Amino acid sequence: MLNHDEKRDYIRMDVDCDITYKLADSSEVSTGRCTTLSGAGVSFIAERPFEIGLAMEVSIMPKTQITPPMTAFIEVVRSVKQGDGNFEIAASIKSIKGN
């Protein structure tokens, strides 16, 4: 069993890869940078804030072909403005979309 200090159900991994996102009821797709990923959540950098509780669909595209892309339905839990004017969006993963 892995030993880790975080008090979470899943280990959070730092990542740096492309992410696309859209509101659950929209076809307009935007792009950003995925910064962390775990079995229960994701955080990414977006150009605008999103309201807590908002449902979205994200697609994460890893840089290597070893790891397949993942599409998931998420719920926003935090939106924090960064020093560069972008926003860090943290969200819980509600389900993973099958192929």
Side-chain angles (χ1 to χ4, degrees):
M1 182 151 110
L2 293 175
N3 204 1
H4 61 94
D5 293 332
E6 287 193 57
K7 305 296 184 218
R8 301 172 177 275
D9 291 334
Y10 300 96
I11 295 173
R12 185 183 335 174
M13 298 179 297
D14 290 330
V15 295
D16 178 21
C17 62
D18 293 333
I19 188 169
T20 60
Y21 56 91
K22 66 178 187 160
L23 302 180
D25 60 353
S26 173
S27 60
E28 183 181 338
V29 177
S30 299
T31 59
R33 297 297 303 160
C34 185
T35 55
T36 64
L37 180 63
S38 78
V42 61
S43 65
F44 61 96
I45 303 300
E47 293 181 349
R48 68 181 193 99
F50 294 100
E51 291 182 30
I52 293 172
L54 188 69
M56 301 177 79
E57 181 179 320
V58 296
S59 293
I60 300 167
M61 284 72 72
K63 290 182 178 181
T64 66
Q65 293 180 343
I66 295 170
T67 306
M70 178 183 82
T71 300
F73 297 102
I74 63 170
E75 182 179 318
V76 175
V77 297
R78 187 174 59 249
S79 184
V80 178
K81 189 169 186 175
Q82 304 297 294
D84 62 3
N86 288 319
F87 292 82
E88 180 184 33
I89 311 300
S92 61
I93 296 174
K94 296 303 182 182
S95 66
I96 296 176
K97 188 174 180 178
N99 292 338

